[in-house]
Amino acid sequence: MLRLWGIDLLDLFREQNDVSPRRVLALLSTLGEHSAYVAAARDVPIDWDVDRYLRKQTVDTLNLLLYVTAKANGAKRVEKPKPVPAPSDQLGQRRASKRQGQNVFAAMAMRAMRGSPTSSKGADRG
């Protein structure tokens, strides 16, 4: 946010600030799929975009078609191909192993957008 818009997220927590949680969330929603924020939200490396996943799927499908064709033509020593590894293969396991807790920043932003006072409930989790 600092690089794109000159907004320091620490300003949210300072007494004198010009940044509201609503504005931060609005700006975050405009980021493209190649941004570091979107990659972090997906829990994948930044270089794994939609195009890269499609290329991986194309290679996996081609390998599987070659395997099926070889087996259909009587090949006996052909091993089933393993898919090309991707970060999303481990995604479910990583998310399940992470501590389940409320996103503190999102909770603060939602409270600010609703106009409710900040409470200490859940502030120490994260």
Side-chain angles (χ1 to χ4, degrees), residues 44-83:
V44 295
I46 194 167
D47 59 341
W48 276 85
D49 59 1
V50 172
D51 291 334
R52 186 144 182 197
Y53 276 105
L54 289 173
R55 289 192 307 267
K56 174 219 177 304
Q57 189 62 36
T58 302
V59 169
D60 288 345
T61 302
L62 182 59
N63 286 338
L64 192 57
L65 285 171
L66 291 171
Y67 166 76
V68 169
T69 302
K71 288 300 252 182
N73 288 314
K76 296 183 181 180
R77 295 184 186 170
V78 179
E79 293 182 24
K80 187 174 181 178
K82 295 179 181 174

Side-chain angles (χ1 to χ4, degrees), residues 109-120:
M110 292 303 291
R111 279 193 299 272
M113 286 172 50
R114 288 187 204 121
S116 65
T118 305
S119 69
S120 62

Side-chain angles (χ1 to χ4, degrees), residues 4-20:
L4 292 175
W5 298 294
I7 294 174
D8 186 357
L9 288 178
L10 289 176
D11 287 344
L12 286 169
F13 305 101
R14 294 184 178 125
E15 270 188 48
Q16 304 264 333
N17 69 33
D18 298 331
V19 180
S20 69

